[in-house]
Amino acid sequence: MARSSVRGEVPGVEDTMSLTPRAGAGRDGSGAGHGGGGGRGADRRRRRRRVLRWSAIVLAVAILGTACAGWLYYEHLNGNLRSGERDSGDSKARKAEPNAAGQTPLNILLIGSDSRNSAENVALGGSRDNRGNPPLGDVQMLIHLSADRESASVVSIPRDTRVPIPRCTDPKTGETFPATTNRIINESLARGGPGCTLATWQNLTGVYIDHWMMIDFAGVVRMADAIGGVEVCVNQNVWDRPLPAQKGGSGLKLTAGRHEVKGEQALQWLRTRHAWGSDPLRARAQHMYMNSMIRTLRGQNVFTDTGRLMDLAEAATKSLQVSEEIGTVKKLYDLGMQLKTVPPDRITMTTLPTVEDSQNSDHLVPAGARADRIWRMVREDVPFDDKGGPGAARKPAPQPASSDPAAPDARIGVVVRNGTRGGGQAAVPGRAGTIAQALVDKGFARASKDTAAPVAEPATEVRFPSADLEGDAQRVAKALGIPPASVKKSAEVSGVTVVVGADWRTGTAYPVQAPPRAGDLPADADALSGSDSGRCMDVYKPYRW
Protein backbone atom coordinates (compact mmCIF):
# COMPACT_ATOMS: atom_id res chain seq x y z
CA MET A 1 0.00 0.00 0.00
CA ALA A 2 1.39 3.35 -1.07
CA ARG A 3 2.29 5.64 1.79
CA SER A 4 1.28 9.27 1.89
CA SER A 5 4.00 11.67 0.84
CA VAL A 6 3.14 13.88 3.86
CA ARG A 7 3.62 12.39 7.30
CA GLY A 8 0.51 12.57 9.46
CA GLU A 9 -1.87 13.19 6.60
CA VAL A 10 -4.94 11.00 6.52
CA PRO A 11 -5.10 9.36 3.06
CA GLY A 12 -8.14 10.22 1.00
CA VAL A 13 -9.24 13.19 3.15
CA GLU A 14 -9.30 16.52 1.35
CA ASP A 15 -9.63 19.92 2.90
CA THR A 16 -13.00 20.69 1.35
CA MET A 17 -13.39 23.73 3.65
CA SER A 18 -10.45 25.53 1.93
CA LEU A 19 -11.62 27.67 -1.01
CA THR A 20 -8.31 29.48 -1.69
CA PRO A 21 -5.02 28.25 -3.26
CA ARG A 22 -2.34 27.04 -0.86
CA ALA A 23 0.22 29.62 0.08
CA GLY A 24 3.27 29.37 -2.25
CA ALA A 25 1.32 27.52 -4.96
CA GLY A 26 0.89 28.69 -8.54
CA ARG A 27 -2.48 29.77 -9.87
CA ASP A 28 -3.19 26.17 -10.80
CA GLY A 29 -2.30 25.07 -7.26
CA SER A 30 0.58 22.93 -8.47
CA GLY A 31 3.26 24.51 -6.29
CA ALA A 32 5.64 24.55 -9.25
CA GLY A 33 8.91 26.32 -8.67
CA HIS A 34 8.88 25.73 -4.82
CA GLY A 35 10.50 22.36 -4.63
CA GLY A 36 7.57 20.84 -2.65
CA GLY A 37 8.31 22.72 0.61
CA GLY A 38 5.15 24.81 0.28
CA GLY A 39 3.05 21.68 0.10
CA ARG A 40 4.16 20.51 3.54
CA GLY A 41 3.36 23.92 5.11
CA ALA A 42 -0.04 23.95 3.46
CA ASP A 43 -0.80 20.50 4.81
CA ARG A 44 0.03 21.64 8.30
CA ARG A 45 -2.39 24.54 7.90
CA ARG A 46 -5.06 22.16 6.66
CA ARG A 47 -4.62 20.00 9.73
CA ARG A 48 -4.94 23.05 12.00
CA ARG A 49 -8.14 24.08 10.24
CA ARG A 50 -9.54 20.55 10.64
CA VAL A 51 -8.72 20.63 14.37
CA LEU A 52 -10.39 24.04 14.74
CA ARG A 53 -13.43 22.89 12.77
CA TRP A 54 -13.95 19.78 14.85
CA SER A 55 -13.24 21.72 18.05
CA ALA A 56 -15.94 24.21 17.12
CA ILE A 57 -18.39 21.39 16.43
CA VAL A 58 -17.60 19.68 19.74
CA LEU A 59 -17.88 22.99 21.60
CA ALA A 60 -21.24 23.76 19.96
CA VAL A 61 -22.55 20.31 20.89
CA ALA A 62 -21.24 20.75 24.44
CA ILE A 63 -22.91 24.15 24.81
CA LEU A 64 -26.17 22.85 23.38
CA GLY A 65 -26.00 19.77 25.58
CA THR A 66 -25.26 21.83 28.67
CA ALA A 67 -28.14 24.16 27.89
CA CYS A 68 -30.50 21.21 27.40
CA ALA A 69 -29.25 19.54 30.57
CA GLY A 70 -29.65 22.82 32.46
CA TRP A 71 -33.19 23.25 31.17
CA LEU A 72 -34.07 19.66 32.03
CA TYR A 73 -32.62 20.07 35.54
CA TYR A 74 -34.55 23.33 35.99
CA GLU A 75 -37.75 21.54 34.97
CA HIS A 76 -36.86 18.70 37.32
CA LEU A 77 -36.54 21.14 40.23
CA ASN A 78 -39.81 22.81 39.28
CA GLY A 79 -41.41 19.36 39.28
CA ASN A 80 -40.22 18.83 42.84
CA LEU A 81 -42.05 21.91 44.12
CA ARG A 82 -45.57 21.63 45.52
CA SER A 83 -47.69 24.76 45.72
CA GLY A 84 -51.07 25.81 47.03
CA GLU A 85 -53.51 28.70 47.37
CA ARG A 86 -52.03 31.77 49.07
CA ASP A 87 -55.11 32.81 51.07
CA SER A 88 -58.06 30.48 51.69
CA GLY A 89 -59.77 32.45 54.47
CA ASP A 90 -61.80 35.60 55.06
CA SER A 91 -59.02 38.16 55.22
CA LYS A 92 -58.95 41.77 54.05
CA ALA A 93 -55.35 42.85 54.70
CA ARG A 94 -53.87 45.14 52.07
CA LYS A 95 -50.30 45.64 50.90
CA ALA A 96 -48.31 48.36 52.64
CA GLU A 97 -48.00 51.70 50.88
CA PRO A 98 -44.58 52.33 49.31
CA ASN A 99 -42.15 54.39 51.37
CA ALA A 100 -40.65 57.68 50.22
CA ALA A 101 -38.19 55.76 48.03
CA GLY A 102 -40.98 53.76 46.35
CA GLN A 103 -40.06 50.53 48.17
CA THR A 104 -42.40 48.07 49.89
CA PRO A 105 -41.64 45.46 52.57
CA LEU A 106 -41.84 41.70 51.98
CA ASN A 107 -43.61 39.37 54.42
CA ILE A 108 -43.28 35.57 54.41
CA LEU A 109 -45.07 33.14 56.73
CA LEU A 110 -42.98 30.06 57.59
CA ILE A 111 -45.02 27.05 58.81
CA GLY A 112 -43.68 23.85 60.32
CA SER A 113 -46.23 21.06 59.86
CA ASP A 114 -46.51 18.03 62.16
CA SER A 115 -48.02 15.93 59.34
CA ARG A 116 -47.81 12.16 59.83
CA ASN A 117 -49.31 11.42 56.41
CA SER A 118 -46.30 9.47 55.17
CA ALA A 119 -44.31 6.55 56.53
CA GLU A 120 -41.23 8.80 56.60
CA ASN A 121 -42.95 11.41 58.77
CA VAL A 122 -44.43 8.78 61.07
CA ALA A 123 -40.97 7.26 61.59
CA LEU A 124 -39.56 10.69 62.46
CA GLY A 125 -42.47 12.09 64.45
CA GLY A 126 -44.02 9.07 66.14
CA SER A 127 -47.76 9.24 66.97
CA ARG A 128 -48.70 6.52 64.53
CA ASP A 129 -52.31 6.82 65.68
CA ASN A 130 -52.39 10.30 64.11
CA ARG A 131 -51.53 9.12 60.62
CA GLY A 132 -54.13 10.47 58.21
CA ASN A 133 -55.26 13.26 60.52
CA PRO A 134 -55.14 16.86 59.26
CA PRO A 135 -51.72 18.32 60.13
CA LEU A 136 -51.20 21.03 62.72
CA GLY A 137 -48.93 24.05 62.28
CA ASP A 138 -46.75 23.67 65.36
CA VAL A 139 -44.12 26.17 64.16
CA GLN A 140 -45.26 29.53 62.80
CA MET A 141 -42.98 32.50 62.11
CA LEU A 142 -43.57 35.73 60.23
CA ILE A 143 -40.44 36.92 58.41
CA HIS A 144 -40.57 40.65 57.65
CA LEU A 145 -37.98 41.97 55.21
CA SER A 146 -37.83 45.77 55.42
CA ALA A 147 -38.73 47.89 52.42
CA ASP A 148 -35.13 49.07 52.08
CA ARG A 149 -33.94 45.43 52.40
CA GLU A 150 -31.49 46.44 55.14
CA SER A 151 -33.06 44.60 58.09
CA ALA A 152 -35.25 41.59 58.82
CA SER A 153 -37.63 41.00 61.73
CA VAL A 154 -39.01 37.60 62.71
CA VAL A 155 -41.96 36.96 65.05
CA SER A 156 -42.95 33.50 66.31
CA ILE A 157 -46.31 32.71 67.90
CA PRO A 158 -46.31 29.76 70.34
CA ARG A 159 -48.46 26.93 69.01
CA ASP A 160 -50.90 26.93 71.98
CA THR A 161 -51.89 30.60 71.59
CA ARG A 162 -55.66 31.09 71.26
CA VAL A 163 -56.52 33.52 68.47
CA PRO A 164 -59.56 34.19 66.26
CA ILE A 165 -59.49 31.94 63.18
CA PRO A 166 -61.56 33.24 60.24
CA ARG A 167 -63.95 31.33 58.03
CA CYS A 168 -61.81 29.21 55.72
CA THR A 169 -62.38 26.86 52.80
CA ASP A 170 -60.02 23.96 52.20
CA PRO A 171 -58.90 24.35 48.55
CA LYS A 172 -58.29 20.59 48.24
CA THR A 173 -61.58 19.27 49.61
CA GLY A 174 -63.89 22.27 49.29
CA GLU A 175 -64.88 21.88 52.95
CA THR A 176 -65.73 25.18 54.67
CA PHE A 177 -64.94 25.81 58.32
CA PRO A 178 -66.79 28.53 60.25
CA ALA A 179 -64.98 31.36 62.01
CA THR A 180 -64.07 30.58 65.62
CA THR A 181 -62.51 32.28 68.63
CA ASN A 182 -62.04 29.11 70.67
CA ARG A 183 -59.15 27.46 68.83
CA ILE A 184 -55.40 27.72 69.14
CA ILE A 185 -53.33 28.97 66.25
CA ASN A 186 -51.76 25.64 65.29
CA GLU A 187 -55.25 24.31 64.43
CA SER A 188 -55.66 26.87 61.63
CA LEU A 189 -53.64 24.59 59.34
CA ALA A 190 -56.24 21.83 59.74
CA ARG A 191 -59.09 24.22 58.88
CA GLY A 192 -58.20 25.09 55.30
CA GLY A 193 -54.49 24.48 54.88
CA PRO A 194 -51.64 27.02 54.95
CA GLY A 195 -53.88 29.58 53.22
CA CYS A 196 -56.10 29.57 56.31
CA THR A 197 -53.07 30.01 58.58
CA LEU A 198 -52.01 32.99 56.45
CA ALA A 199 -55.51 34.52 56.71
CA THR A 200 -55.43 34.02 60.50
CA TRP A 201 -52.12 35.88 60.74
CA GLN A 202 -53.31 38.70 58.49
CA ASN A 203 -56.41 39.28 60.62
CA LEU A 204 -54.37 39.08 63.82
CA THR A 205 -51.64 41.48 62.70
CA GLY A 206 -53.12 43.73 60.02
CA VAL A 207 -50.04 42.84 57.94
CA TYR A 208 -50.40 41.76 54.31
CA ILE A 209 -48.42 38.51 53.95
CA ASP A 210 -47.00 38.03 50.47
CA HIS A 211 -46.15 34.31 50.64
CA TRP A 212 -46.23 31.22 52.80
CA MET A 213 -43.70 28.38 52.91
CA MET A 214 -44.34 25.08 54.71
CA ILE A 215 -42.03 22.22 55.69
CA ASP A 216 -42.70 18.87 57.40
CA PHE A 217 -40.53 16.55 59.52
CA ALA A 218 -38.89 14.81 56.57
CA GLY A 219 -38.23 18.16 54.92
CA VAL A 220 -36.41 19.46 57.99
CA VAL A 221 -34.17 16.39 58.02
CA ARG A 222 -33.48 16.68 54.29
CA MET A 223 -32.60 20.37 54.54
CA ALA A 224 -30.43 19.87 57.62
CA ASP A 225 -28.43 17.19 55.80
CA ALA A 226 -28.04 19.39 52.72
CA ILE A 227 -26.69 22.24 54.85
CA GLY A 228 -24.23 19.83 56.44
CA GLY A 229 -24.75 20.65 60.11
CA VAL A 230 -25.78 23.60 62.28
CA GLU A 231 -24.16 24.49 65.61
CA VAL A 232 -26.36 24.56 68.74
CA CYS A 233 -25.51 24.89 72.42
CA VAL A 234 -26.87 23.71 75.80
CA ASN A 235 -25.72 24.75 79.25
CA GLN A 236 -26.43 21.31 80.79
CA ASN A 237 -26.75 17.73 79.56
CA VAL A 238 -30.18 17.36 77.95
CA TRP A 239 -32.37 14.32 77.26
CA ASP A 240 -35.90 15.09 76.09
CA ARG A 241 -37.61 11.81 76.95
CA PRO A 242 -40.90 10.56 78.44
CA LEU A 243 -41.14 10.95 82.22
CA PRO A 244 -43.69 9.48 84.67
CA ALA A 245 -45.53 12.80 84.86
CA GLN A 246 -45.07 13.80 81.21
CA LYS A 247 -45.49 11.71 78.08
CA GLY A 248 -43.69 12.29 74.83
CA GLY A 249 -40.39 13.91 74.02
CA SER A 250 -38.31 14.54 70.93
CA GLY A 251 -35.50 12.18 71.92
CA LEU A 252 -32.85 14.92 71.83
CA LYS A 253 -29.83 13.83 73.88
CA LEU A 254 -26.73 16.03 74.10
CA THR A 255 -24.00 16.74 76.57
CA ALA A 256 -23.44 20.28 77.81
CA GLY A 257 -21.65 22.53 75.36
CA ARG A 258 -21.67 23.14 71.61
CA HIS A 259 -22.68 20.53 69.07
CA GLU A 260 -23.20 20.43 65.32
CA VAL A 261 -26.56 18.83 64.60
CA LYS A 262 -27.95 17.65 61.29
CA GLY A 263 -30.51 15.20 59.97
CA GLU A 264 -32.83 13.71 62.58
CA GLN A 265 -30.92 15.32 65.44
CA ALA A 266 -31.65 18.76 63.97
CA LEU A 267 -35.36 17.85 63.88
CA GLN A 268 -35.16 16.77 67.52
CA TRP A 269 -33.68 20.12 68.48
CA LEU A 270 -36.47 22.01 66.69
CA ARG A 271 -39.22 19.83 68.20
CA THR A 272 -37.94 19.80 71.79
CA ARG A 273 -40.37 21.50 74.15
CA HIS A 274 -40.50 19.78 77.55
CA ALA A 275 -36.74 19.90 78.07
CA TRP A 276 -36.70 23.69 77.65
CA GLY A 277 -39.71 24.18 79.91
CA SER A 278 -42.30 25.90 77.69
CA ASP A 279 -43.49 26.68 74.17
CA PRO A 280 -42.02 30.22 74.19
CA LEU A 281 -38.65 28.73 75.13
CA ARG A 282 -38.97 26.23 72.31
CA ALA A 283 -39.35 29.25 70.01
CA ARG A 284 -36.08 30.61 71.44
CA ALA A 285 -34.29 27.34 70.61
CA GLN A 286 -35.70 27.48 67.09
CA HIS A 287 -34.46 31.05 66.70
CA MET A 288 -30.97 30.00 67.82
CA TYR A 289 -31.00 27.23 65.22
CA MET A 290 -32.21 29.53 62.42
CA ASN A 291 -29.64 32.22 63.21
CA SER A 292 -26.88 29.62 63.31
CA MET A 293 -28.12 28.16 60.01
CA ILE A 294 -28.05 31.60 58.36
CA ARG A 295 -24.48 32.19 59.56
CA THR A 296 -23.50 28.72 58.31
CA LEU A 297 -24.96 29.28 54.84
CA ARG A 298 -23.31 32.68 54.53
CA GLY A 299 -19.98 31.09 55.49
CA GLN A 300 -20.43 28.45 52.78
CA ASN A 301 -20.87 31.08 50.03
CA VAL A 302 -23.81 29.06 48.78
CA PHE A 303 -24.82 31.54 46.08
CA THR A 304 -21.37 31.44 44.46
CA ASP A 305 -20.72 27.70 44.85
CA THR A 306 -22.61 25.91 42.07
CA GLY A 307 -22.30 22.45 43.64
CA ARG A 308 -23.56 23.57 47.04
CA LEU A 309 -26.33 25.58 45.43
CA MET A 310 -27.51 22.56 43.43
CA ASP A 311 -27.51 20.34 46.53
CA LEU A 312 -29.56 22.88 48.45
CA ALA A 313 -31.88 23.50 45.49
CA GLU A 314 -32.60 19.78 45.26
CA ALA A 315 -33.26 19.52 49.00
CA ALA A 316 -35.31 22.71 49.18
CA THR A 317 -37.60 21.91 46.26
CA LYS A 318 -38.26 18.43 47.65
CA SER A 319 -38.80 19.73 51.18
CA LEU A 320 -40.84 22.90 50.78
CA GLN A 321 -44.45 23.50 49.86
CA VAL A 322 -45.02 27.12 48.82
CA SER A 323 -47.83 29.48 47.93
CA GLU A 324 -48.61 29.34 44.25
CA GLU A 325 -47.27 32.78 43.28
CA ILE A 326 -43.70 31.68 44.16
CA GLY A 327 -44.09 28.16 42.80
CA THR A 328 -41.05 28.15 40.50
CA VAL A 329 -37.35 27.72 41.16
CA LYS A 330 -36.57 31.15 39.66
CA LYS A 331 -39.00 32.91 41.98
CA LEU A 332 -37.64 31.04 44.99
CA TYR A 333 -34.10 31.95 43.95
CA ASP A 334 -35.06 35.60 43.56
CA LEU A 335 -36.63 35.48 47.01
CA GLY A 336 -33.47 33.98 48.46
CA MET A 337 -31.35 36.69 46.86
CA GLN A 338 -33.47 39.35 48.58
CA LEU A 339 -33.11 37.66 51.96
CA LYS A 340 -29.38 37.25 51.37
CA THR A 341 -28.84 41.01 51.38
CA VAL A 342 -29.53 41.34 55.13
CA PRO A 343 -26.44 40.87 57.36
CA PRO A 344 -26.87 38.69 60.47
CA ASP A 345 -26.53 41.66 62.86
CA ARG A 346 -29.63 43.22 61.24
CA ILE A 347 -31.77 40.08 61.71
CA THR A 348 -33.82 40.06 64.93
CA MET A 349 -35.81 37.02 66.07
CA THR A 350 -38.64 37.51 68.60
CA THR A 351 -41.56 35.66 70.19
CA LEU A 352 -44.95 37.35 70.51
CA PRO A 353 -45.57 38.46 74.11
CA THR A 354 -48.33 36.31 75.60
CA VAL A 355 -50.13 35.73 78.89
CA GLU A 356 -52.05 32.76 80.28
CA ASP A 357 -55.50 32.26 78.75
CA SER A 358 -58.20 32.89 81.36
CA GLN A 359 -60.39 30.29 79.63
CA ASN A 360 -57.77 27.52 79.67
CA SER A 361 -54.60 27.54 81.71
CA ASP A 362 -52.88 25.29 79.14
CA HIS A 363 -53.26 27.99 76.49
CA LEU A 364 -51.88 31.49 75.92
CA VAL A 365 -53.35 34.69 74.46
CA PRO A 366 -51.56 37.73 72.98
CA ALA A 367 -50.44 40.15 75.70
CA GLY A 368 -52.57 43.17 74.79
CA ALA A 369 -50.60 46.38 74.28
CA ARG A 370 -47.23 44.60 74.22
CA ALA A 371 -48.35 42.33 71.40
CA ASP A 372 -49.89 45.31 69.60
CA ARG A 373 -46.54 47.13 69.73
CA ILE A 374 -44.89 44.24 67.88
CA TRP A 375 -47.54 44.25 65.15
CA ARG A 376 -47.46 48.02 64.78
CA MET A 377 -43.68 47.93 64.27
CA VAL A 378 -44.15 45.34 61.52
CA ARG A 379 -47.01 47.25 59.89
CA GLU A 380 -45.05 50.50 59.90
CA ASP A 381 -41.79 48.82 58.83
CA VAL A 382 -39.89 49.88 61.96
CA PRO A 383 -36.76 47.72 62.51
CA PHE A 384 -36.62 45.48 65.54
CA ASP A 385 -32.98 46.50 66.03
CA ASP A 386 -31.54 49.98 66.57
CA LYS A 387 -28.63 49.66 64.15
CA GLY A 388 -30.17 51.41 61.18
CA GLY A 389 -29.76 54.98 60.04
CA PRO A 390 -32.19 57.83 60.56
CA GLY A 391 -34.88 55.91 58.75
CA ALA A 392 -35.80 58.39 56.04
CA ALA A 393 -36.44 55.54 53.63
CA ARG A 394 -39.06 54.16 56.03
CA LYS A 395 -41.18 57.31 55.95
CA PRO A 396 -44.38 56.76 53.97
CA ALA A 397 -44.76 58.53 50.69
CA PRO A 398 -46.51 61.87 51.21
CA GLN A 399 -50.28 61.72 50.84
CA PRO A 400 -51.38 63.96 47.95
CA ALA A 401 -54.01 66.48 48.91
CA SER A 402 -57.45 65.51 47.67
CA SER A 403 -58.92 67.65 44.91
CA ASP A 404 -62.37 66.47 45.96
CA PRO A 405 -64.06 69.03 48.25
CA ALA A 406 -65.94 67.66 51.25
CA ALA A 407 -69.69 67.94 51.37
CA PRO A 408 -71.26 69.70 54.34
CA ASP A 409 -70.97 67.54 57.46
CA ALA A 410 -74.72 67.02 57.72
CA ARG A 411 -74.83 65.58 54.19
CA ILE A 412 -71.92 63.13 54.46
CA GLY A 413 -73.13 59.56 54.65
CA VAL A 414 -70.86 57.48 56.89
CA VAL A 415 -71.12 53.97 58.32
CA VAL A 416 -69.17 52.89 61.42
CA ARG A 417 -68.01 49.28 61.70
CA ASN A 418 -66.78 47.53 64.86
CA GLY A 419 -63.36 46.00 64.13
CA THR A 420 -62.12 45.72 67.72
CA ARG A 421 -61.87 41.94 67.50
CA GLY A 422 -58.43 42.40 65.90
CA GLY A 423 -55.05 41.79 67.48
CA GLY A 424 -56.21 38.57 69.13
CA GLN A 425 -58.58 40.43 71.47
CA ALA A 426 -62.30 39.97 71.97
CA ALA A 427 -64.51 42.61 70.41
CA VAL A 428 -65.67 45.55 72.51
CA PRO A 429 -69.50 45.50 72.37
CA GLY A 430 -71.20 48.63 71.10
CA ARG A 431 -68.14 50.41 69.69
CA ALA A 432 -69.76 51.06 66.30
CA GLY A 433 -72.80 52.68 67.93
CA THR A 434 -70.64 54.75 70.27
CA ILE A 435 -68.54 56.26 67.48
CA ALA A 436 -71.57 56.74 65.19
CA GLN A 437 -73.29 58.72 67.94
CA ALA A 438 -70.13 60.77 68.49
CA LEU A 439 -70.22 61.71 64.79
CA VAL A 440 -73.89 62.66 65.02
CA ASP A 441 -73.05 64.87 67.98
CA LYS A 442 -70.39 66.57 65.82
CA GLY A 443 -72.94 67.39 63.11
CA PHE A 444 -72.67 64.28 60.87
CA ALA A 445 -76.41 63.67 60.92
CA ARG A 446 -76.24 60.75 58.45
CA ALA A 447 -73.77 58.69 60.51
CA SER A 448 -74.96 55.21 61.42
CA LYS A 449 -73.60 51.97 62.79
CA ASP A 450 -73.04 48.74 60.86
CA THR A 451 -75.13 46.06 62.57
CA ALA A 452 -72.99 43.18 61.30
CA ALA A 453 -70.92 41.11 63.71
CA PRO A 454 -67.60 42.65 64.80
CA VAL A 455 -64.67 42.01 62.49
CA ALA A 456 -60.93 41.74 63.13
CA GLU A 457 -59.07 44.98 62.32
CA PRO A 458 -55.91 45.73 64.29
CA ALA A 459 -55.77 49.37 63.16
CA THR A 460 -58.48 52.00 62.73
CA GLU A 461 -59.07 53.30 59.19
CA VAL A 462 -61.48 55.50 57.25
CA ARG A 463 -62.21 53.89 53.88
CA PHE A 464 -63.84 55.28 50.76
CA PRO A 465 -64.69 53.56 47.43
CA SER A 466 -64.02 56.26 44.84
CA ALA A 467 -62.26 59.58 44.30
CA ASP A 468 -65.48 61.62 44.57
CA LEU A 469 -65.78 60.58 48.23
CA GLU A 470 -62.16 61.10 49.27
CA GLY A 471 -62.79 64.62 50.55
CA ASP A 472 -65.72 63.37 52.65
CA ALA A 473 -63.56 60.57 54.12
CA GLN A 474 -60.79 63.02 55.03
CA ARG A 475 -63.31 65.34 56.69
CA VAL A 476 -64.68 62.46 58.83
CA ALA A 477 -61.16 61.41 59.81
CA LYS A 478 -60.28 64.98 60.84
CA ALA A 479 -63.40 65.22 63.00
CA LEU A 480 -62.43 62.05 64.90
CA GLY A 481 -58.69 62.81 65.10
CA ILE A 482 -57.74 59.90 62.84
CA PRO A 483 -54.45 60.64 60.99
CA PRO A 484 -54.62 61.32 57.22
CA ALA A 485 -52.43 58.26 56.47
CA SER A 486 -55.27 56.06 57.78
CA VAL A 487 -57.70 57.33 55.12
CA LYS A 488 -57.59 54.74 52.34
CA LYS A 489 -59.39 53.89 49.13
CA SER A 490 -60.97 50.43 49.20
CA ALA A 491 -63.11 48.42 46.82
CA GLU A 492 -64.59 46.59 49.82
CA VAL A 493 -66.84 49.48 50.90
CA SER A 494 -69.72 51.21 49.11
CA GLY A 495 -69.46 54.52 50.97
CA VAL A 496 -67.38 56.33 53.57
CA THR A 497 -66.76 53.76 56.31
CA VAL A 498 -65.04 54.18 59.67
CA VAL A 499 -63.55 50.87 60.81
CA VAL A 500 -62.88 51.14 64.55
CA GLY A 501 -59.87 48.88 65.09
CA ALA A 502 -58.34 47.15 68.08
CA ASP A 503 -56.16 50.22 68.63
CA TRP A 504 -59.23 52.28 69.65
CA ARG A 505 -61.14 50.31 72.26
CA THR A 506 -62.34 53.17 74.46
CA GLY A 507 -63.34 56.84 74.16
CA THR A 508 -64.73 58.89 71.29
CA ALA A 509 -61.54 60.68 70.22
CA TYR A 510 -58.93 58.63 68.42
CA PRO A 511 -56.00 58.13 70.83
CA VAL A 512 -52.84 59.97 69.84
CA GLN A 513 -50.03 57.42 69.55
CA ALA A 514 -46.34 58.19 69.42
CA PRO A 515 -44.71 56.45 66.43
CA PRO A 516 -42.78 53.32 67.42
CA ARG A 517 -39.01 53.64 67.60
CA ALA A 518 -36.48 51.26 66.10
CA GLY A 519 -35.42 48.64 68.63
CA ASP A 520 -38.20 49.54 71.08
CA LEU A 521 -39.37 45.97 71.64
CA PRO A 522 -41.26 44.73 74.71
CA ALA A 523 -38.93 43.08 77.23
CA ASP A 524 -40.79 39.77 76.97
CA ALA A 525 -40.36 39.58 73.18
CA ASP A 526 -37.14 37.61 73.90
CA ALA A 527 -35.23 39.33 71.09
CA LEU A 528 -32.21 37.53 69.64
CA SER A 529 -29.81 39.03 67.09
CA GLY A 530 -28.74 36.91 64.15
CA SER A 531 -25.12 37.69 64.94
CA ASP A 532 -25.33 36.41 68.54
CA SER A 533 -23.44 33.12 68.51
CA GLY A 534 -22.81 32.97 72.26
CA ARG A 535 -26.26 31.98 73.52
CA CYS A 536 -26.97 28.51 74.95
CA MET A 537 -30.24 26.90 76.07
CA ASP A 538 -30.87 26.16 79.75
CA VAL A 539 -32.30 22.70 80.35
CA TYR A 540 -35.34 22.22 82.61
CA LYS A 541 -34.08 20.19 85.58
CA PRO A 542 -36.17 17.00 85.12
CA TYR A 543 -34.60 16.57 81.68
CA ARG A 544 -30.97 16.82 82.70
CA TRP A 545 -28.88 13.65 82.92
Side-chain angles (χ1 to χ4, degrees), residues 406-421:
D409 292 354
R411 292 177 54 193
I412 295 177
V414 53
V415 174
V416 182
R417 181 178 299 168
N418 186 348
T420 56
R421 190 165 61 84

Side-chain angles (χ1 to χ4, degrees), residues 396-444:
Q399 298 291 318
S402 172
S403 59
D404 172 53
D409 292 354
R411 292 177 54 193
I412 295 177
V414 53
V415 174
V416 182
R417 181 178 299 168
N418 186 348
T420 56
R421 190 165 61 84
Q425 304 176 83
V428 178
R431 283 301 285 160
T434 298
I435 302 304
Q437 185 59 50
L439 282 168
V440 171
D441 294 343
K442 290 176 182 291
F444 294 85

Side-chain angles (χ1 to χ4, degrees), residues 328-397:
T328 68
V329 173
K330 182 184 184 307
K331 290 177 179 178
L332 276 181
Y333 178 82
D334 291 343
L335 190 62
M337 292 301 289
Q338 292 189 63
L339 294 169
K340 169 182 174 285
T341 63
V342 182
D345 67 342
R346 298 299 313 278
I347 299 171
T348 307
M349 304 264 179
T350 64
T351 301
L352 184 72
T354 54
V355 295
E356 185 179 294
D357 185 359
S358 60
Q359 298 181 21
N360 185 334
S361 61
D362 290 332
H363 295 165
L364 304 167
V365 292
R370 299 196 305 281
D372 289 345
R373 193 193 316 174
I374 292 277
W375 300 138
R376 189 179 177 199
M377 291 177 76
V378 176
R379 286 196 301 271
E380 298 184 18
D381 198 27
V382 177
F384 280 10
D385 66 14
D386 58 1
K387 298 181 177 66
R394 293 190 297 275
K395 293 179 180 177

Side-chain angles (χ1 to χ4, degrees), residues 60-143:
V61 170
I63 291 172
L64 182 61
T66 302
C68 290
W71 180 82
L72 289 172
Y73 186 65
Y74 176 78
E75 289 300 302
H76 160 73
L77 292 177
N78 277 336
N80 287 343
L81 271 176
R82 294 163 294 149
S83 61
E85 191 170 309
R86 190 192 72 86
D87 183 351
S88 58
D90 290 345
S91 174
K92 300 294 188 290
R94 291 177 298 281
K95 280 182 175 289
E97 296 294 327
N99 63 16
Q103 304 161 315
T104 54
L106 178 68
N107 297 297
I108 305 164
L109 182 62
L110 179 62
I111 305 169
S113 161
D114 76 345
S115 171
R116 270 88 171 183
N117 293 336
S118 71
E120 190 176 13
N121 280 331
V122 168
L124 292 167
S127 298
R128 287 168 174 77
D129 293 342
N130 291 332
R131 183 163 185 176
N133 291 348
L136 302 175
D138 279 355
V139 178
Q140 298 184 26
M141 298 182 186
L142 178 64
I143 303 169

Side-chain angles (χ1 to χ4, degrees), residues 492-515:
E492 298 160 8
V493 296
S494 57
V496 176
T497 303
V498 176
V499 182
V500 184
D503 58 346
W504 189 12
R505 299 176 68 82
T506 60
T508 56
Y510 185 72
V512 177
Q513 301 180 35

